Amino acid sequence: MTDVAIAPAREPGSTTTPRMIVDEWVGQFTNALSSQNVAAAELFLPDGVIRDLLALSWDFRNAIGHQEISAILAVPAAHRPTSIQVRPGNASVLVEEGNPGTISAFLQFRNSAGNGFGHVRLVQQNDDGTWLAASLVLALDAVDSHPECHLDARPSGKTHGPVRNRTGWQEGLDPEFTRQEPDVVILGAGHNGLMLAARLGALGIPALVLEPNQRVGDNWRKRYSSLALHTPLASDHLPYLPFPSTWPRFTPKDKLGDFLESYAKLLDLAVWTATTVEGAEFDESSRRWIVDIKRQGKRRRINPRHLVFATGMNAAPNIPEVPGRSDFQGTVMHAVDYKGHAEWRGKRAVVVGSGVSGHDIAQDLAEHGVDVTMIQRSGTFVMNTSTFHKVMHANHVSGKYSTEEADLLNASTPFGALPAHGPKHVELIKAMDRELLDGLVEAGFELSDGPDGQGVLGLIFGLNGTGYYYNAGASELIIDGTIKLRHGSVEGLTPNGVLLDGDRTLDADLVVFATGYQGAPSVVRQVLGDDIADRVGEFAKVGADREYGRLWRRTGVEQLWFMVSLGIGDGRFYSKLLALQLAAMEAGTMPYAEQEQ
């Protein structure tokens, strides 16, 4: 093997353009990849990062540092991209604002299955002017076997001219699956399930969504009246049907429920509501699932090839068993059952927990004349919602990128590497929100910097936990004393209220436990039994490979998948990657069994 020719330094005054620099680096990388040259890792910084999302393999992989990068670039010929180049367009190559020594570029590539997009970030070295990659992400975007029917490839709706025995649009649909079995059954018609169904529909793959609620969107409508998304609107668009330009900046829960219902209708998604799964098992002989369902009182058996859980990160609510509950004369509930402030005006409430739900519920009660006390059991990481948007959603709210581009930029960092960026985020957040945080400390609120000072990134992607709040107004009510604050643990309930450790008591008419949920695997155990649940394990947790163990990728159980995400943005991006895997399997491009790869 010959050594890789690293991009050379440029003489002062050189007319070399950023596009030329990127083209040269991409050419060197492509040549090294095609020749299996292990020195290709030298095109990256010593701590450089690669993320492969179905581009170099039929899996999600990543590598950090030269040794790992060399290993991940040992790509079999069947998976090797046949071409990589800068994506056409004037905005594809950007020089970082205020830092001419950093260039980024959006890429496009082809591999044996189809086409994809990518992004590379190059940094110039001070010693010799060499340009090395800090990060590279390559993600499959289309498979040749199943062209995506949208934009210029959208369906015609009606063929003009005479057509014998013409079939109307509605007649051509089969939402009851009377003519065929669905290829994919999706459990859950929340945003994740609907987005995956929409992706599959655009690829021509018959999918059926099963939803226990009476209407699509009821999982949002049934929650408390003041609930709205905390995330910025730019991060929350659904594929093929973005929110209108008049949409509120923070989507209220009822509007989101109605939008999801409209989304399913307008995109002709087959959704069976008021439907529960009574049992499911995989039939080895037919390589299909046997799913027994009960729909509006009637039973039916369906036989999809693939079964997808889109039932959310949270399963059953977690309410601690506390002594004296039967003696309490008031009302006890979990946050999921809280419907709003209306019946509690002028009364006393205790909210146990200081995460997002605890703050939201306490704020809703306090703003409507309820005497409310929050019990803080441990420190909470807090930032203003505006800061949350600027720091955590910078790529989407900057206005520099399309939704798809911002999604790809976010995907360039492996989940397991995110906590390492946490301390820098914490420092920035503290500077931006100093006045708010100082006020909380003075009010006696216990702040936390998260595990190892990693803030939200450490809590979510390190501990797979919560313990944070994006301030939408509750913090100010804590600071001015409208929301009272107590610390400690609930030892039990008395006839008139709550017993805290140290024999302290609080009178209450309402006690709300904002104490989280059981993990998502409990849903699998309920539907598929202990054997499969044990094989799948903690699928919604970041593993040693820095990826979520079983989300959006093979699960270790044949033709079983999980379409679960932390929010609409992740769901939008990874729903396409999961849909592409299902399409590639149906085409025979991607092997069914992991060992066949």
Side-chain angles (χ1 to χ4, degrees):
M1 297 183 190
T2 58
D3 291 337
V4 173
I6 305 298
R10 303 294 175 181
E11 296 296 330
S14 168
T15 58
T16 302
T17 65
R19 172 61 185 263
M20 293 169 64
I21 293 169
V22 176
D23 280 340
E24 184 173 3
W25 186 94
V26 170
Q28 293 167 349
F29 177 76
T30 303
N31 290 337
L33 189 63
S34 63
S35 64
Q36 295 287 280
N37 193 331
V38 295
E42 296 176 20
L43 290 166
F44 291 79
L45 292 172
D47 60 351
V49 179
I50 285 183
R51 192 144 187 251
D52 163 31
L53 300 171
L54 311 181
L56 309 176
S57 66
W58 283 115
D59 198 5
F60 301 162
R61 306 184 304 160
N62 64 80
I64 299 178
H66 287 177
Q67 183 175 352
E68 290 185 13
I69 290 174
S70 292
I72 203 173
L73 293 181
V75 181
H79 292 296
R80 209 172 297 157
T82 55
S83 68
I84 305 175
Q85 59 191 36
V86 175
R87 188 188 64 185
N90 295 329
S92 289
V93 178
L94 299 172
V95 177
E96 191 170 292
E97 188 175 345
N99 185 8
T102 301
I103 299 172
S104 63
F106 288 98
L107 311 174
Q108 62 184 28
F109 69 86
R110 267 204 63 81
N111 64 14
S112 59
N115 302 315
F117 291 112
H119 182 267
V120 65
R121 185 168 178 265
L122 303 178
V123 178
Q124 190 174 31
Q125 304 307 288
N126 293 328
D127 52 353
D128 60 1
T130 297
W131 291 88
L132 301 177
S135 65
L136 172 69
V137 57
L138 297 172
L140 192 66
D141 187 63
V143 290
D144 296 337
S145 61
H146 290 74
E148 193 174 12
C149 296
H150 78 137
L151 299 176
D152 292 342
R154 70 181 69 216
S156 64
K158 179 180 180 178
T159 301
H160 288 190
V163 178
R164 288 187 179 275
N165 300 315
R166 181 190 295 272
T167 299
W169 180 269
Q170 203 65 29
E171 296 171 276
L173 303 175
D174 185 21
E176 296 298 315
F177 287 93
T178 58
R179 299 191 290 266
Q180 63 177 334
E181 292 282 2
D183 284 341
V184 182
V185 162
I186 302 167
L187 307 185
H191 60 268
N192 284 307
L194 295 179
M195 286 191 287
L196 178 60
R199 298 284 197 192
L200 292 169
L203 297 176
I205 296 176
L208 170 62
V209 185
L210 306 180
E211 169 59 42
N213 282 304
Q214 293 295 318
R215 294 171 58 192
V216 173
D218 275 354
N219 57 325
W220 288 97
R221 293 189 194 92
K222 291 179 179 180
R223 302 179 72 183
Y224 53 94
S225 59
S226 64
L227 178 63
L229 297 182
H230 289 75
T231 44
L233 189 62
S235 296
D236 292 337
H237 294 296
L238 274 66
Y240 313 121
L241 191 63
F243 293 115
S245 59
T246 57
W247 200 257
R249 294 184 184 277
F250 299 98
T251 303
K253 57 101 176 180
D254 291 297
K255 286 188 71 67
L256 181 58
D258 290 346
F259 186 87
L260 294 177
E261 189 172 48
S262 300
Y263 186 82
K265 180 69 174 177
L266 292 173
L267 272 61
D268 294 318
L269 307 183
V271 182
W272 293 357
T273 55
T275 302
T276 55
V277 177
E278 296 190 322
E281 61 178 331
F282 188 71
D283 180 26
E284 297 286 351
S285 60
S286 65
R287 295 177 72 95
R288 284 183 173 270
W289 285 90
I290 300 171
V291 183
D292 291 317
I293 65 169
K294 186 176 182 181
R295 181 188 183 197
Q296 299 176 343
K298 297 181 180 180
R299 287 180 168 82
R300 179 171 170 180
R301 173 168 288 184
I302 48 181
N303 299 106
R305 209 182 310 273
H306 302 276
L307 181 64
V308 182
F309 279 76
T311 47
M313 281 286 194
N314 300 321
N318 181 28
I319 298 184
E321 290 293 333
V322 293
R325 180 167 177 173
S326 61
D327 299 327
F328 179 53
Q329 297 174 6
T331 300
V332 180
M333 65 176 67
H334 187 270
V336 73
D337 297 314
Y338 176 75
K339 298 298 186 287
H341 57 267
E343 62 180 298
W344 306 108
R345 288 178 182 271
K347 297 184 179 180
R348 299 160 300 184
V350 171
V351 178
V352 183
S354 57
V356 174
S357 294
H359 276 85
D360 282 353
I361 292 170
Q363 180 179 353
D364 182 52
L365 290 166
E367 288 178 342
H368 294 90
V370 181
D371 182 346
V372 58
T373 300
M374 175 187 288
I375 298 178
Q376 186 179 28
R377 299 173 297 163
S378 58
T380 309
F381 184 82
V382 177
M383 71 175 89
N384 278 317
T385 304
S386 57
T387 303
F388 168 57
H389 292 182
K390 291 175 184 176
V391 175
M392 310 293 288
H393 291 267
N395 291 323
H396 286 93
V397 303
S398 69
K400 297 178 182 178
Y401 309 109
S402 69
T403 301
E404 292 73 20
E405 290 170 340
D407 287 347
L408 186 66
L409 288 172
N410 285 358
S412 63
T413 303
F415 292 109
L418 286 170
H421 297 270
K424 183 178 179 181
H425 279 195
V426 171
E427 181 181 357
L428 179 61
I429 289 163
K430 283 184 173 181
M432 296 173 71
D433 291 343
R434 174 51 55 198
E435 182 178 353
L436 176 81
L437 300 178
D438 286 347
L440 285 171
V441 170
E442 187 174 344
F445 190 87
E446 183 182 346
L447 294 174
S448 168
D449 288 343
D452 300 320
Q454 295 168 345
V456 172
L457 296 179
L459 288 166
I460 295 175
F461 303 107
L463 297 183
N464 196 43
T466 54
Y468 52 86
Y469 170 57
Y470 308 129
N471 177 42
S475 292
E476 286 83 355
L477 296 178
I478 292 172
I479 291 170
D480 70 16
T482 303
I483 296 176
K484 301 180 180 68
L485 187 65
R486 296 290 186 274
H487 297 89
S489 59
V490 175
E491 298 296 316
L493 298 179
T494 69
N496 299 317
V498 176
L499 175 65
L500 297 176
D501 52 356
D503 292 328
R504 297 171 294 158
T505 60
L506 289 171
D507 290 341
D509 303 296
L510 169 69
V511 178
V512 181
F513 283 94
T515 46
Y517 300 82
Q518 296 177 23
S522 64
V523 179
V524 180
R525 193 170 300 278
Q526 178 183 345
V527 175
L528 299 180
D530 292 340
D531 179 58
I532 290 181
D534 290 341
R535 287 167 61 190
V536 170
E538 290 287 343
F539 60 81
K541 186 174 183 179
V542 177
D545 65 348
R546 308 184 194 99
E547 303 287 347
Y548 275 105
R550 308 291 193 180
L551 297 187
W552 322 302
R553 62 201 290 216
R554 295 179 189 272
T555 63
V557 176
E558 197 166 11
Q559 291 153 243
L560 174 67
W561 308 85
F562 296 107
M563 183 57 236
V564 178
S565 69
L566 294 172
I568 293 175
D570 280 345
R572 178 181 56 242
F573 182 75
Y574 289 98
S575 62
K576 169 168 270 194
L577 292 173
L578 176 48
L580 292 176
Q581 290 174 82
L582 295 173
M585 276 191 170
E586 292 306 293
T589 309
M590 176 178 173
Y592 268 84
E594 293 182 70
Q595 60 268 24
E596 295 175 14
Q597 295 190 80

